[in-house]
């Protein structure tokens, strides 16, 4: 929908590769998955409170909760947090709580989709222009005389190492809007 005309088969395969790499870069910048997935997370409870924040975005279901390795059934999911009247474990030390939950958006939000497409299009343009995915530094200085032509490339700004590098401002936006916070990711389906 974002292209003026359909891509040929070979170009479509390259575009898929660019979209995949751009999606990976966005997920890494956000700090975790954005689209809906099921994950097993380990968080630690201090045992004193009844609430346990799950460090993932948009929790829609919890399949299993293990407190210190033992299954518990007396919990409730409320606004992305677990509530348990008995608390989360022993209060004399942090207690591992393993949670298997479904989280993320069933459909990737449009601003994230557009960012991924933009990164993929930049990659395609770099390949078309230069034949490579690395950055092309800007022209810093150019001089022309009757006998010579000289150009110096560079910038005072740090040059990204790849076209898929995401700047700090966008990275903060992704983490704030779609990021999970800190968690030990045990596995993902």
């Amino acid at each position: 929908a974002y292209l003026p005309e359909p891509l040929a088969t070979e170009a479509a395969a390259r575009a898929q590769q660019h979209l995949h790499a751009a999606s990976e870069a966005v997920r890494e910048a956000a700090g975790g998955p954005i689209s809906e997935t099921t994950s097993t997370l380990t968080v630690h409870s201090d045992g004193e409170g009844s609430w346990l924040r799950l460090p993932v975005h948009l929790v829609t279901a919890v399949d299993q909760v293990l407190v210190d390795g033992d299954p518990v059934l007396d919990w409730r999911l409320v606004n992305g947090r677990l509530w348990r009247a008995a608390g989360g474990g022993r209060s004399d030390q942090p207690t591992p709580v393993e949670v298997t939950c479904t989280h993320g958006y069933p459909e990737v939000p449009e601003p994230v989709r557009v960012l991924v497409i933009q990164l993929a299009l930049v990659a395609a343009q770099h390949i078309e222009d230069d034949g490579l995915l690395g950055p092309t530094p800007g022209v810093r200085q150019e001089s022309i005389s009757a006998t010579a032509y000289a150009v110096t490339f560079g910038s005072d700004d740090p040059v990204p190492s790849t076209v898929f590098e995401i700047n700090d401002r966008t990275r903060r936006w992704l983490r704030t809007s779609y990021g999970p916070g800190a968690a030990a990711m045990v596995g993902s389906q």
Side-chain angles (χ1 to χ4, degrees):
Y2 291 91
L3 299 174
E5 58 189 56
L7 296 174
T9 304
E10 185 178 309
R14 278 194 313 273
Q16 279 300 117
Q17 291 172 333
H18 296 326
L19 287 169
H20 178 74
S23 294
E24 285 293 318
V26 168
R27 279 191 291 272
E28 186 277 326
I34 295 170
S35 56
E36 189 173 71
T37 189
T38 299
S39 300
T40 300
L41 311 161
T42 300
V43 293
H44 287 83
S45 169
D46 61 12
E48 294 183 17
S50 295
W51 291 97
L52 183 65
R53 188 183 77 77
L54 297 177
V56 290
H57 189 71
L58 197 63
V59 178
T60 56
V62 173
D63 299 322
Q64 180 179 22
V65 178
L66 303 174
V67 175
D68 209 13
D70 297 322
V72 295
L73 302 174
D74 59 341
W75 53 267
R76 285 191 192 153
L77 177 64
V78 181
N79 295 328
R81 298 185 303 163
L82 287 181
W83 178 84
R84 183 174 184 226
R90 300 183 306 268
S91 62
D92 61 331
Q93 62 183 334
T95 304
V97 179
E98 188 175 293
V99 180
T100 301
C101 63
T102 301
H103 57 96
Y105 290 90
E107 187 173 316
V108 175
E110 191 65 15
V112 175
R113 186 187 323 262
V114 169
L115 175 61
V116 168
I117 291 168
Q118 288 173 337
L119 289 170
L121 288 173
V122 167
Q125 189 63 51
H126 268 269
I127 286 179
E128 187 175 309
D129 293 347
D130 307 325
L132 45 94
L133 284 176
T136 305
V139 174
R140 179 178 244 181
Q141 179 183 348
E142 187 173 19
S143 63
I144 302 173
S145 70
T147 58
Y149 169 76
V151 63
T152 304
F153 292 94
S155 170
D156 291 334
D157 297 327
V159 177
S161 57
T162 172
V163 295
F164 298 114
E165 187 171 321
I166 296 175
N167 67 45
D168 288 338
R169 181 177 169 196
T170 303
R171 187 174 290 275
R172 281 191 303 276
W173 166 69
L174 286 167
R175 284 198 184 263
T176 301
S177 300
Y178 308 103
M185 186 80 68
V186 175
S188 223
Q189 296 178 344

